[in-house]
Amino acid sequence: MTRPLPTDPADAFAELGRIKLGEVGLDDVLQRVAELAKRVLPTPVEVSVTLVRGGTGYTAAFTDDLARDMDERQYAQGRGPCLDAATSGDVMSVPDLAADDRWPDWADRGRKTGVGSSVSIGLPVQEAVVGALNVYARAPHAFDDDSVSVLETFAAYAAVALANAQLYDSTATLARQMQEAMANRAVIEQAKGIVMGERRCSPAEAFAVLAKVSQDSNRKVRDVAQALVDRAAGTSRGPRPAEAATALSASPRHPAARPGPRHVAG
């Protein structure tokens, strides 16, 4: 089967720039990075993208099992060109695996699986996440200076895309967290209003009641508040929960809570 002509690097960069991060997940961006990197070189290669989080490396995208297996050999040993490139941000070139003695076990494994040369280029995604673009060729000395230069330029574009995707993912997560926090606050305010109306107490006292019920029942304040709001709205079935009954009937300001022989002040 005839190999397709390589993609012009400028076209690959333009295609990378057209990725709409709001419509494409981070995993898809990483896979696209690997596929485009494979297409820009004139020699047949396989590509992977390594990410390192908390000192642990993993292959986030790959174009062939060969590339993934070469990466995972390094993860198992805790050393190798892709890990060194990710950590340092440098270019780690292995022109001939048969002549390289920096990572002998990894190189021996590569030779047995038909890898002749490789190059790994660091991708400084962000402080907490670093990575590397790894390119493997079956022929020795497959990467001349021009090829490495193209990959370095491509890696710079890829790093921007990855950083933006990471930022988008983090921003989306933050937005969801903020929405959840606002929803939680809204239901708690509603529950406070119910307690205030029933017990004729202040907002601070109403929240104290919810907090005490939360502690006594080992439930989150938000869950206690939601149960009370649901009960008031008539959307909850069954008898009123014990904590809700307590919340609405144990105040010195409420007629039902006047001191009596069986009442214990708390």
Side-chain angles (χ1 to χ4, degrees), residues 43-44 94-99 111 114-118 136-144:
T43 187
V94 185
D96 187 352
L97 267 69
R111 290 194 301 272
V115 177
S117 55
S118 75
Y136 300 97
R138 295 191 177 278
H141 304 284
F143 307 101
D144 57 18

Side-chain angles (χ1 to χ4, degrees), residues 56-82:
T56 301
Y58 69 97
T59 299
F62 59 95
T63 60
D64 187 83
D65 288 342
L66 173 69
R68 182 190 59 185
D69 292 346
M70 290 297 289
D71 291 351
E72 290 182 346
R73 182 71 174 180
Q74 298 176 61
Y75 308 150
Q77 297 178 335
R79 59 193 303 267
C82 80

Side-chain angles (χ1 to χ4, degrees), residues 3-260:
R3 181 175 181 267
L5 293 175
T7 300
D8 185 277
D11 293 338
F13 301 152
E15 187 170 342
L16 188 63
R18 287 194 295 269
I19 296 176
K20 296 182 180 180
L21 300 179
E23 301 175 1
V24 181
L26 180 57
D27 290 344
D28 293 328
V29 173
L30 296 177
Q31 188 61 40
R32 199 71 188 127
V33 165
E35 292 170 354
L36 287 171
K38 176 177 179 175
R39 286 164 41 186
V40 299
L41 297 183
T43 187
V45 297
E46 299 300 340
V47 181
S48 67
V49 178
T50 291
L51 292 184
V52 180
R53 301 172 187 263
T56 301
Y58 69 97
T59 299
F62 59 95
T63 60
D64 187 83
D65 288 342
L66 173 69
R68 182 190 59 185
D69 292 346
M70 290 297 289
D71 291 351
E72 290 182 346
R73 182 71 174 180
Q74 298 176 61
Y75 308 150
Q77 297 178 335
R79 59 193 303 267
C82 80
L83 292 177
D84 286 0
T87 302
S88 66
D90 296 333
V91 176
M92 293 292 167
S93 179
V94 185
D96 187 352
L97 267 69
D100 195 281
D101 59 2
R102 290 171 291 180
W103 309 281
D105 292 340
W106 171 82
D108 182 62
R109 176 63 174 269
R111 290 194 301 272
K112 290 178 179 178
T113 56
V115 177
S117 55
S118 75
V119 60
S120 293
I121 302 174
L123 302 176
V125 182
Q126 63 176 33
E127 292 183 4
V129 183
V130 293
L133 178 69
N134 313 302
V135 188
Y136 300 97
R138 295 191 177 278
H141 304 284
F143 307 101
D144 57 18
D145 290 343
D146 290 340
S147 295
V148 173
S149 179
V150 167
L151 289 174
E152 285 182 300
T153 304
F154 185 86
Y157 277 80
V160 171
L162 291 170
N164 285 342
Q166 187 77 19
L167 177 61
Y168 177 84
D169 188 61
S170 299
T171 301
T173 299
L174 178 60
R176 288 194 299 270
Q177 292 173 342
M178 291 180 66
Q179 290 175 346
E180 290 174 1
M182 292 174 66
N184 290 346
R185 180 171 180 175
V187 75
I188 290 172
E189 290 299 318
Q190 292 173 28
K192 283 169 57 180
I194 295 170
V195 176
M196 289 166 62
E198 292 288 333
R199 300 186 58 184
R200 301 178 179 84
C201 63
S202 69
E205 290 170 330
F207 183 79
V209 169
L210 295 176
K212 187 176 187 308
V213 172
S214 169
Q215 183 178 5
D216 292 345
S217 62
N218 194 29
R219 298 173 64 190
K220 295 180 180 179
V221 173
R222 196 268 181 204
D223 293 339
V224 171
Q226 186 66 63
L228 192 57
V229 170
D230 289 346
R231 180 59 55 188
T235 58
S236 179
R237 298 179 180 178
R240 174 181 293 170
E243 62 268 22
T246 301
L248 296 180
S249 64
S251 168
R253 296 189 180 189
H254 193 283
R258 285 194 297 268

